[in-house]
Amino acid sequence: MVNERPINSQEKLTQFLQHLEEGRQLQEHWINYGIDCVDLYIENIDRDSLETWGDHEAEQVIESY
């Protein structure tokens, strides 16, 4: 059974405004930095991310057996 607590309307509004502000910040970073704004949001972009893509997920599958 999932234990869910009801979210009141004030809490929903607060969450919505927080997400809206995060979206505005992303848009502002995109306007100011262009594609370079990706560096602000993604870690380890200059390393071996593409070469090791999916390795972590494969380890999790193996561990689950």
Coordinates of all heavy atoms in Angstrom, one line a residue:
M1 N 0.8 -1.2 0.0 CA 0.0 0.0 0.0 C 0.9 1.2 0.0 O 1.8 1.3 0.8 CB -0.9 0.0 1.2 CG -1.8 1.2 1.3 SD -2.8 1.2 2.8 CE -4.3 0.6 2.2
V2 N 0.6 2.2 -0.8 CA 1.3 3.4 -0.9 C 0.8 4.4 0.1 O -0.4 4.6 0.2 CB 1.2 4.0 -2.3 CG1 2.0 5.3 -2.4 CG2 1.8 3.0 -3.3
N3 N 1.7 5.0 0.9 CA 1.3 6.0 1.8 C 1.4 7.3 1.2 O 2.5 7.9 1.2 CB 2.1 5.8 3.1 CG 1.6 6.7 4.2 OD1 0.5 7.2 4.2 ND2 2.4 6.8 5.3
E4 N 0.3 7.9 0.8 CA 0.3 9.2 0.2 C -0.3 10.2 1.1 O -1.3 9.9 1.7 CB -0.5 9.2 -1.2 CG 0.2 8.3 -2.2 CD -0.6 8.4 -3.5 OE1 -1.4 9.3 -3.7 OE2 -0.5 7.4 -4.3
R5 N 0.3 11.4 1.1 CA -0.4 12.4 1.9 C -1.0 13.4 1.0 O -0.4 13.7 -0.1 CB 0.6 13.1 2.8 CG 1.7 13.9 2.1 CD 2.6 14.5 3.1 NE 3.7 15.2 2.4 CZ 3.7 16.5 2.2 NH1 2.6 17.3 2.6 NH2 4.6 17.1 1.5
P6 N -2.1 13.9 1.3 CA -2.8 14.9 0.4 C -1.9 16.2 0.3 O -1.4 16.7 1.3 CB -4.1 15.2 1.0 CG -4.0 14.7 2.4 CD -2.9 13.7 2.5
I7 N -1.9 16.8 -0.8 CA -1.1 18.0 -1.0 C -2.2 19.1 -1.1 O -3.1 19.1 -2.0 CB -0.3 18.0 -2.3 CG1 0.8 16.9 -2.2 CG2 0.4 19.3 -2.5 CD1 1.6 16.7 -3.4
N8 N -2.1 20.1 -0.2 CA -3.0 21.2 -0.3 C -2.7 22.1 -1.4 O -1.7 22.1 -2.1 CB -3.1 21.9 1.1 CG -1.8 22.6 1.4 OD1 -1.1 23.0 0.5 ND2 -1.5 22.8 2.7
S9 N -3.7 23.0 -1.7 CA -3.5 23.9 -2.9 C -2.4 24.9 -2.8 O -1.8 25.2 -3.7 CB -4.9 24.6 -3.1 OG -5.2 25.4 -2.0
Q10 N -2.1 25.3 -1.5 CA -1.0 26.2 -1.3 C 0.3 25.5 -1.7 O 1.2 26.1 -2.3 CB -1.0 26.8 0.1 CG 0.1 27.8 0.4 CD 0.0 29.0 -0.5 OE1 -1.1 29.5 -0.8 NE2 1.2 29.5 -0.9
E11 N 0.5 24.3 -1.3 CA 1.7 23.6 -1.5 C 1.8 23.3 -3.0 O 2.9 23.4 -3.6 CB 1.7 22.2 -0.8 CG 3.0 21.5 -0.7 CD 3.0 20.4 0.2 OE1 2.2 20.3 1.2 OE2 3.9 19.5 0.0
K12 N 0.7 23.0 -3.7 CA 0.8 22.8 -5.2 C 1.2 24.1 -5.9 O 2.0 24.1 -6.8 CB -0.6 22.4 -5.7 CG -1.0 21.0 -5.4 CD -2.3 20.7 -6.0 CE -2.8 19.3 -5.8 NZ -4.1 19.0 -6.4
L13 N 0.7 25.2 -5.4 CA 1.0 26.5 -6.0 C 2.5 26.8 -5.8 O 3.2 27.3 -6.7 CB 0.1 27.6 -5.4 CG 0.5 29.0 -5.9 CD1 0.2 29.2 -7.4 CD2 -0.4 30.1 -5.1
T14 N 3.0 26.5 -4.6 CA 4.4 26.8 -4.3 C 5.3 25.9 -5.2 O 6.3 26.4 -5.7 CB 4.7 26.5 -2.8 OG1 3.8 27.3 -2.0 CG2 6.1 26.7 -2.5
Q15 N 4.9 24.7 -5.4 CA 5.7 23.8 -6.3 C 5.7 24.3 -7.7 O 6.7 24.3 -8.4 CB 5.2 22.4 -6.2 CG 5.5 21.6 -4.9 CD 4.9 20.2 -4.9 OE1 4.1 19.9 -5.7 NE2 5.3 19.5 -3.9
F16 N 4.5 24.7 -8.2 CA 4.4 25.2 -9.5 C 5.2 26.4 -9.7 O 5.9 26.5 -10.7 CB 2.9 25.5 -9.8 CG 2.7 26.2 -11.1 CD1 2.8 25.5 -12.3 CD2 2.4 27.6 -11.2 CE1 2.6 26.1 -13.5 CE2 2.3 28.2 -12.4 CZ 2.3 27.5 -13.6
L17 N 5.2 27.4 -8.8 CA 6.0 28.6 -8.9 C 7.5 28.3 -8.9 O 8.2 28.9 -9.6 CB 5.6 29.6 -7.8 CG 4.2 30.2 -7.9 CD1 3.9 31.0 -6.7 CD2 4.0 30.9 -9.2
Q18 N 7.9 27.3 -8.1 CA 9.3 26.9 -8.1 C 9.7 26.3 -9.5 O 10.8 26.7 -10.0 CB 9.5 25.8 -7.0 CG 11.0 25.4 -6.9 CD 11.2 24.3 -5.9 OE1 10.2 23.9 -5.2 NE2 12.4 23.8 -5.8
H19 N 8.9 25.5 -10.0 CA 9.2 24.9 -11.4 C 9.2 26.0 -12.4 O 10.0 26.0 -13.4 CB 8.2 23.8 -11.7 CG 8.4 22.6 -10.9 ND1 9.5 21.8 -10.9 CD2 7.5 22.0 -10.0 CE1 9.3 20.8 -10.0 NE2 8.1 20.9 -9.5
L20 N 8.3 26.9 -12.3 CA 8.2 28.0 -13.3 C 9.5 28.9 -13.2 O 10.0 29.2 -14.2 CB 7.0 28.9 -13.0 CG 6.7 30.0 -13.9 CD1 6.4 29.5 -15.3 CD2 5.5 30.8 -13.5
E21 N 9.9 29.2 -12.0 CA 11.2 29.9 -11.9 C 12.4 29.2 -12.4 O 13.3 29.8 -13.0 CB 11.4 30.3 -10.4 CG 12.6 31.1 -10.1 CD 12.7 32.4 -10.9 OE1 11.6 33.0 -11.1 OE2 13.8 32.8 -11.3
E22 N 12.4 27.9 -12.2 CA 13.5 27.1 -12.7 C 13.5 27.1 -14.3 O 14.6 27.2 -14.9 CB 13.4 25.6 -12.2 CG 13.8 25.5 -10.7 CD 13.4 24.1 -10.2 OE1 12.9 23.3 -10.9 OE2 13.7 23.9 -9.0
G23 N 12.3 27.1 -14.8 CA 12.2 27.2 -16.3 C 12.7 28.5 -16.8 O 13.3 28.6 -17.8
R24 N 12.3 29.6 -16.1 CA 12.8 30.9 -16.5 C 14.3 31.0 -16.4 O 14.9 31.6 -17.3 CB 12.1 31.9 -15.6 CG 10.7 32.2 -15.9 CD 10.1 33.2 -14.9 NE 8.7 33.4 -15.2 CZ 7.8 33.8 -14.3 NH1 8.2 34.1 -13.1 NH2 6.5 34.0 -14.7
Q25 N 14.9 30.4 -15.4 CA 16.3 30.5 -15.3 C 17.0 29.7 -16.4 O 18.0 30.2 -17.0 CB 16.8 29.9 -13.9 CG 16.5 30.7 -12.7 CD 16.9 30.1 -11.4 OE1 17.3 28.9 -11.4 NE2 16.7 30.8 -10.3
L26 N 16.5 28.6 -16.8 CA 17.0 27.8 -17.9 C 16.9 28.6 -19.2 O 17.9 28.7 -20.0 CB 16.3 26.5 -18.1 CG 16.7 25.6 -19.3 CD1 18.1 25.3 -19.3 CD2 15.8 24.4 -19.4
Q27 N 15.8 29.3 -19.4 CA 15.6 30.1 -20.6 C 16.6 31.3 -20.6 O 17.2 31.6 -21.6 CB 14.2 30.6 -20.6 CG 13.9 31.4 -21.9 CD 12.4 31.9 -21.9 OE1 11.8 32.1 -20.9 NE2 11.9 32.2 -23.1
E28 N 16.8 31.9 -19.5 CA 17.7 33.0 -19.4 C 19.1 32.5 -19.6 O 19.9 33.2 -20.3 CB 17.6 33.7 -18.0 CG 18.5 34.9 -17.8 CD 17.9 36.1 -18.6 OE1 16.7 36.1 -19.0 OE2 18.7 37.0 -19.0
H29 N 19.5 31.4 -19.1 CA 20.8 30.8 -19.4 C 21.0 30.5 -20.8 O 22.1 30.8 -21.4 CB 21.1 29.6 -18.5 CG 21.3 29.9 -17.1 ND1 21.0 29.0 -16.1 CD2 21.8 31.0 -16.4 CE1 21.3 29.5 -14.9 NE2 21.7 30.7 -15.1
W30 N 20.0 30.0 -21.4 CA 20.0 29.7 -22.9 C 20.2 30.9 -23.7 O 21.0 31.0 -24.7 CB 18.8 28.9 -23.3 CG 18.8 28.6 -24.8 CD1 18.2 29.2 -25.8 CD2 19.5 27.5 -25.4 NE1 18.5 28.6 -27.0 CE2 19.3 27.5 -26.7 CE3 20.3 26.4 -24.8 CZ2 19.8 26.6 -27.6 CZ3 20.8 25.5 -25.7 CH2 20.6 25.6 -27.1
I31 N 19.5 32.0 -23.4 CA 19.7 33.3 -24.1 C 21.1 33.8 -23.9 O 21.7 34.3 -24.8 CB 18.6 34.3 -23.6 CG1 17.2 33.8 -24.1 CG2 18.9 35.7 -24.1 CD1 16.0 34.6 -23.5
N32 N 21.6 33.8 -22.7 CA 22.9 34.4 -22.4 C 24.1 33.6 -22.9 O 25.0 34.1 -23.3 CB 23.0 34.6 -20.9 CG 22.1 35.7 -20.4 OD1 21.7 36.6 -21.1 ND2 21.7 35.7 -19.1
Y33 N 24.0 32.2 -22.7 CA 25.1 31.4 -23.0 C 25.0 30.5 -24.2 O 26.0 29.9 -24.7 CB 25.4 30.5 -21.8 CG 25.6 31.2 -20.5 CD1 24.7 31.1 -19.5 CD2 26.7 32.1 -20.3 CE1 24.9 31.8 -18.3 CE2 26.9 32.8 -19.2 CZ 26.0 32.6 -18.1 OH 26.2 33.3 -17.0
G34 N 23.8 30.4 -24.8 CA 23.6 29.5 -25.9 C 23.8 28.1 -25.5 O 23.5 27.7 -24.4
I35 N 24.4 27.3 -26.4 CA 24.6 25.9 -26.2 C 25.5 25.7 -25.0 O 25.5 24.6 -24.4 CB 25.0 25.2 -27.4 CG1 25.0 23.6 -27.3 CG2 26.5 25.6 -27.8 CD1 23.6 23.1 -27.2
D36 N 26.3 26.6 -24.7 CA 27.3 26.5 -23.5 C 26.5 26.4 -22.2 O 27.1 26.0 -21.2 CB 28.3 27.6 -23.5 CG 29.2 27.6 -24.7 OD1 29.5 26.4 -25.2 OD2 29.7 28.6 -25.1
C37 N 25.3 26.8 -22.2 CA 24.5 26.7 -20.9 C 24.4 25.2 -20.5 O 24.1 24.9 -19.3 CB 23.2 27.3 -21.0 SG 21.9 26.4 -21.8
V38 N 24.6 24.3 -21.4 CA 24.5 22.8 -21.0 C 25.5 22.5 -19.9 O 25.3 21.7 -19.1 CB 24.8 22.0 -22.3 CG1 24.9 20.5 -21.9 CG2 23.6 22.2 -23.3
D39 N 26.7 23.2 -20.0 CA 27.7 23.0 -19.0 C 27.3 23.3 -17.6 O 27.7 22.7 -16.6 CB 29.0 23.8 -19.3 CG 29.7 23.4 -20.5 OD1 29.6 22.2 -20.9 OD2 30.4 24.2 -21.2
L40 N 26.3 24.2 -17.4 CA 25.7 24.5 -16.1 C 24.9 23.4 -15.6 O 24.7 23.4 -14.3 CB 24.9 25.8 -16.2 CG 25.7 27.1 -16.7 CD1 24.7 28.2 -16.9 CD2 26.7 27.5 -15.7
Y41 N 24.3 22.6 -16.4 CA 23.3 21.6 -16.0 C 23.8 20.2 -16.0 O 23.2 19.3 -15.4 CB 22.0 21.8 -16.8 CG 21.4 23.1 -16.6 CD1 21.6 24.2 -17.4 CD2 20.5 23.3 -15.6 CE1 21.0 25.4 -17.2 CE2 19.9 24.5 -15.3 CZ 20.2 25.5 -16.2 OH 19.6 26.8 -15.9
I42 N 24.8 19.9 -16.8 CA 25.3 18.5 -16.9 C 26.8 18.5 -16.5 O 27.6 19.2 -16.9 CB 25.2 18.1 -18.4 CG1 23.8 18.1 -18.9 CG2 25.8 16.7 -18.6 CD1 23.6 17.7 -20.3
E43 N 27.0 17.5 -15.5 CA 28.3 17.3 -15.0 C 29.1 16.3 -15.9 O 28.5 15.5 -16.6 CB 28.3 16.8 -13.6 CG 27.7 17.7 -12.6 CD 27.6 17.1 -11.2 OE1 28.2 16.1 -11.0 OE2 26.8 17.7 -10.4
N44 N 30.4 16.4 -15.9 CA 31.2 15.4 -16.6 C 31.0 15.4 -18.1 O 31.1 14.3 -18.7 CB 31.0 14.0 -16.0 CG 32.0 13.0 -16.4 OD1 33.1 13.4 -16.9 ND2 31.8 11.7 -16.2
I45 N 30.7 16.5 -18.7 CA 30.4 16.5 -20.1 C 31.6 16.4 -21.0 O 31.6 15.9 -22.1 CB 29.6 17.8 -20.5 CG1 29.0 17.6 -21.8 CG2 30.5 19.0 -20.4 CD1 27.9 18.5 -22.1
D46 N 32.8 16.7 -20.4 CA 34.0 16.7 -21.2 C 34.8 15.3 -21.1 O 35.8 15.1 -21.7 CB 35.0 17.8 -20.9 CG 34.4 19.2 -21.3 OD1 33.7 19.2 -22.4 OD2 34.6 20.2 -20.6
R47 N 34.3 14.5 -20.3 CA 35.0 13.2 -20.0 C 34.5 12.1 -20.9 O 34.0 12.3 -22.0 CB 34.9 12.9 -18.5 CG 35.6 14.0 -17.7 CD 36.0 13.5 -16.3 NE 36.6 14.7 -15.6 CZ 36.4 14.9 -14.4 NH1 35.6 14.2 -13.7 NH2 37.0 15.9 -13.8
D48 N 34.5 10.9 -20.4 CA 34.2 9.7 -21.2 C 32.7 9.3 -21.1 O 32.4 8.1 -21.1 CB 35.1 8.6 -20.7 CG 34.9 8.2 -19.3 OD1 34.2 8.9 -18.5 OD2 35.4 7.1 -18.9
S49 N 31.8 10.3 -21.0 CA 30.4 10.0 -20.8 C 29.8 9.1 -21.9 O 29.1 8.2 -21.7 CB 29.6 11.3 -20.7 OG 30.0 12.0 -19.6
L50 N 30.2 9.5 -23.2 CA 29.6 8.7 -24.3 C 30.2 7.3 -24.4 O 29.5 6.4 -24.7 CB 29.9 9.5 -25.6 CG 29.1 10.8 -25.7 CD1 29.5 11.5 -27.0 CD2 27.6 10.6 -25.7
E51 N 31.5 7.1 -24.0 CA 32.1 5.8 -24.1 C 31.6 4.9 -23.0 O 31.5 3.7 -23.2 CB 33.6 5.9 -23.9 CG 34.3 6.5 -25.1 CD 34.3 8.0 -25.1 OE1 33.9 8.7 -24.1 OE2 34.6 8.6 -26.2
T52 N 31.2 5.4 -21.9 CA 30.7 4.6 -20.8 C 29.2 4.6 -20.6 O 28.6 4.2 -19.6 CB 31.3 5.0 -19.4 OG1 31.0 6.4 -19.2 CG2 32.8 4.9 -19.5
W53 N 28.5 5.2 -21.6 CA 27.0 5.3 -21.6 C 26.4 3.9 -21.4 O 26.7 3.0 -22.2 CB 26.5 5.9 -22.9 CG 25.1 6.3 -22.8 CD1 24.0 5.5 -23.1 CD2 24.5 7.6 -22.4 NE1 22.9 6.2 -23.0 CE2 23.1 7.5 -22.5 CE3 25.1 8.8 -22.0 CZ2 22.3 8.5 -22.2 CZ3 24.2 9.8 -21.7 CH2 22.9 9.7 -21.8
G54 N 25.6 3.8 -20.4 CA 24.8 2.5 -20.2 C 25.6 1.5 -19.4 O 25.0 0.5 -19.0
D55 N 26.8 1.7 -19.1 CA 27.6 0.7 -18.2 C 27.0 0.6 -16.8 O 26.9 -0.5 -16.3 CB 29.0 1.1 -18.1 CG 29.8 0.9 -19.4 OD1 29.2 0.3 -20.3 OD2 30.9 1.4 -19.5
H56 N 26.6 1.7 -16.3 CA 26.0 1.7 -14.9 C 24.7 0.9 -14.9 O 24.4 0.2 -14.0 CB 25.8 3.1 -14.4 CG 25.3 3.2 -13.0 ND1 26.1 2.8 -12.0 CD2 24.2 3.6 -12.5 CE1 25.4 3.0 -10.8 NE2 24.3 3.5 -11.1
E57 N 23.9 1.1 -15.9 CA 22.6 0.4 -16.0 C 22.8 -1.1 -16.1 O 22.1 -1.9 -15.5 CB 21.7 0.9 -17.1 CG 21.2 2.3 -16.9 CD 22.1 3.4 -17.3 OE1 23.2 3.1 -17.8 OE2 21.8 4.6 -17.0
A58 N 23.8 -1.5 -16.9 CA 24.1 -2.9 -17.1 C 24.6 -3.5 -15.8 O 24.2 -4.6 -15.4 CB 25.2 -3.1 -18.2
E59 N 25.4 -2.8 -15.0 CA 25.8 -3.3 -13.7 C 24.6 -3.5 -12.8 O 24.6 -4.5 -12.0 CB 26.8 -2.3 -13.0 CG 28.1 -2.2 -13.7 CD 29.0 -1.1 -13.2 OE1 28.6 -0.4 -12.2 OE2 30.1 -0.9 -13.7
Q60 N 23.6 -2.6 -12.8 CA 22.5 -2.7 -11.9 C 21.7 -4.0 -12.3 O 21.1 -4.7 -11.5 CB 21.6 -1.5 -12.0 CG 22.2 -0.3 -11.4 CD 21.3 1.0 -11.5 OE1 20.4 1.0 -12.4 NE2 21.5 1.9 -10.7
V61 N 21.5 -4.2 -13.6 CA 20.8 -5.4 -14.1 C 21.5 -6.7 -13.6 O 20.9 -7.6 -13.1 CB 20.6 -5.4 -15.6 CG1 20.1 -6.7 -16.1 CG2 19.8 -4.3 -16.0
I62 N 22.8 -6.7 -13.7 CA 23.6 -7.9 -13.3 C 23.4 -8.1 -11.8 O 23.3 -9.2 -11.3 CB 25.1 -7.8 -13.7 CG1 25.2 -7.8 -15.2 CG2 25.9 -8.8 -13.1 CD1 26.5 -7.4 -15.8
E63 N 23.5 -7.0 -11.0 CA 23.4 -7.1 -9.6 C 22.0 -7.6 -9.1 O 21.9 -8.2 -8.1 CB 23.7 -5.8 -8.9 CG 25.2 -5.4 -9.0 CD 25.5 -4.0 -8.5 OE1 24.5 -3.3 -8.1 OE2 26.7 -3.6 -8.6
S64 N 21.0 -7.3 -9.9 CA 19.6 -7.7 -9.5 C 19.4 -9.2 -9.6 O 18.4 -9.7 -9.1 CB 18.6 -6.9 -10.3 OG 18.7 -7.3 -11.7
Y65 N 20.2 -9.9 -10.4 CA 20.0 -11.4 -10.5 C 20.6 -12.1 -9.4 O 21.1 -12.3 -8.6 CB 20.6 -11.9 -11.9 CG 19.7 -11.5 -13.0 CD1 20.1 -10.5 -13.9 CD2 18.5 -12.1 -13.2 CE1 19.4 -10.2 -15.0 CE2 17.7 -11.8 -14.3 CZ 18.2 -10.8 -15.2 OH 17.4 -10.5 -16.2

